[in-house]
Amino acid sequence: MPERRTVALVTLGCARNEVDSEELAGRLEADGWQLVKDAAEADVAVVNTCGFVEAAKKDSVDALLEASDLKGNGRTKAVVAVGCMAERYGKELAEALPEADGVLGFDDYADISDRLQTILSGGIHAPHTPRDRRKLLPISPVERQRAKAEVVIPGHGPADLPEGVAPASGPRAPLRRRLDGSPVASVKLASGCDRRCSFCAIPSFRGSFVSRRPSDVLNETRWLAEQGVKEIMLVSENNTSYGKDLGDIRLLESLLPELAEVDGIERIRVSYLQPAEMRPGLIDVLTGTEKVAPYFDLSFQHSAPGVLRAMRRFGDTDRFLQLLDTIRSKAPEAGVRSNFIVGFPGETEDDLAELERFLDAARLDAIGVFGYSDEEGTEAAGFDGKLDEEVVAERLERVTRLAEELVSQRAEERIGETVRVLVESVDDEEGVVGRGAHQAPETDGQVLLTGAEGVGVGRMVEAKVTGAQGVDLVAQPLPGAFGCEEAGR
């Protein structure tokens, strides 16, 4: 009988990384590995790292060191780094962090079981020398679908696999193993990015933009519904580009209604939208399709024209406000979130004031604010006009304070609205907690349901908003919202 091998996956970073971890889990389980939640109970701890910004990289290093501390004190024999930071730095990370027993890039994912077995047996798998993954596929998007079979793209595992490769669910079981019982799951729509924002290094290690075929997305969604998932969140580096390499830039508009027809799925959410690529037809589908959340995760980054041009982006305050007006004219209750960078090279006080003007008028539900810092390998790292760290820190604090005030005001505006809340947790301390259609997992706040005793995780409950606590809402279920088995659905 083969020796029992256990593995734990520790995931950092974005929802895309969560999908990648579940693909790795599917591959490992198929080859006989037993998945455990606690790294201390695993022979191998696999840390799926984030390599986006300095804070995320530090968190990844800390997680690797924490897992490494388990070695010699229990079952754990090896710690392995995978994910974006491992792909981005490869050999350099291995040399800087000898506590990690292996550093595996994306090209190792298809053979992850063999790689871990080699490391667990005391062997050495040489870490890769990083390369620009944008050069692995043709420049022309329409030629990439033919060439992508030769390139490992995390999260793009085949949707139809032989029995035993993933949890049984008929012929459409994807190469994926769920790592939690949440009623929400992310589904990868595409990978990579063709944009060339001057501050961002992601395309260099995630590669060029590649869409998944609609049939694969649909099959995976059906499988997730069979696993009890009620809400799916479509993720990629840029969902507005979906389909351009499949010959149809409007493919998302036709895919969303098909996803909405999947039995068991209660809500579909689309994340990562580029303002410059928003189309009237896409806005119509996002605001007018049953089960599709009127939710807009728009990557504005700034609103001063000069700063946006330096970022290699498009738009300005007035155009962005016009886009928001268009969205809200079709769905007044629509949720909108965005991220912003302050202290970008060359940013003036007038530029910052212009950003503040936009934020004051935009009525965003959630706002992320980041202070600029150089990212190696990016165009902006070589720009003149760098601001002193103290100036960046002051602007970050100033805009963060404003953002906190504004999202609190926006939450208060929702008092009196009716929201459909997907219950995600029930416990004695926090009570019944879920999210409305305008709230994405982990980033946009939550809804505390009062008077909802007896409701279970995964239920969709109609409720009236009665109060706000910062970005979070308090809501009271409507009469009959869960009076019988199908109530609230």
Side-chain angles (χ1 to χ4, degrees), residues 277-461:
E277 298 181 32
M278 289 301 295
R279 307 175 292 275
L282 180 55
I283 294 174
D284 287 343
V285 172
L286 288 171
T287 56
T289 306
E290 186 179 2
K291 294 188 180 181
V292 175
Y295 175 80
F296 293 80
D297 177 9
L298 294 163
S299 178
F300 289 122
Q301 301 299 346
H302 213 282
S303 73
V307 176
L308 286 168
R309 300 304 175 268
M311 289 179 170
R312 300 286 183 258
R313 297 178 68 82
F314 305 94
D316 55 46
T317 295
D318 293 335
R319 281 189 237 181
F320 290 163
L321 291 177
Q322 183 178 13
L323 172 60
L324 295 178
D325 286 345
T326 299
I327 290 168
R328 288 171 175 143
S329 70
K330 298 175 181 295
E333 78 286 0
V336 186
R337 79 162 332 271
S338 192
N339 294 322
F340 300 89
I341 298 172
V342 297
F344 195 79
E347 182 190 62
T348 65
E349 279 290 340
D350 287 344
D351 293 330
L352 195 67
E354 183 69 2
L355 173 58
E356 290 172 327
R357 180 172 82 89
F358 171 68
L359 293 174
D360 279 330
R363 296 170 55 235
L364 303 179
D365 291 279
I367 301 171
V369 187
F370 301 88
Y372 173 81
S373 62
D374 286 339
E375 274 294 310
E376 57 196 284
T378 63
E379 183 183 1
F383 283 179
D384 295 329
K386 300 283 178 60
L387 304 183
D388 291 341
E389 290 183 7
E390 294 79 6
V391 174
V392 175
E394 185 277 329
R395 292 184 179 184
L396 174 60
E397 182 180 0
R398 170 177 154 185
V399 177
T400 298
R401 283 200 307 267
L402 174 63
E404 291 173 350
E405 178 182 345
L406 292 172
V407 297
S408 295
Q409 291 175 6
R410 178 66 182 125
E412 290 174 358
E413 289 179 13
R414 290 192 178 275
I415 295 175
E417 286 186 5
T418 297
V419 292
R420 296 189 75 228
V421 180
L422 176 62
V423 177
E424 294 186 313
S425 67
V426 179
D427 62 46
D428 293 336
E429 292 186 8
E430 293 189 1
V432 180
V433 177
R435 290 175 300 101
H438 69 286
Q439 297 167 315
E442 300 183 4
T443 59
D444 300 345
Q446 58 191 19
V447 180
L448 171 64
L449 287 174
T450 59
E453 294 77 10
V455 67
V457 171
R459 296 293 298 277
M460 193 73 81
V461 178

Side-chain angles (χ1 to χ4, degrees), residues 127-172:
H128 66 286
T129 299
R131 54 182 172 169
D132 188 338
R133 294 189 73 86
R134 290 172 293 192
K135 298 179 180 180
L136 301 182
L137 290 169
I139 294 176
S140 170
V142 295
E143 295 178 5
R144 291 176 193 160
Q145 289 292 324
R146 292 190 295 271
K148 74 175 186 178
E150 306 300 320
V151 178
V152 174
I153 305 175
H156 284 235
D160 296 300
L161 294 165
E163 183 179 354
V165 174
S169 181
R172 60 173 177 254

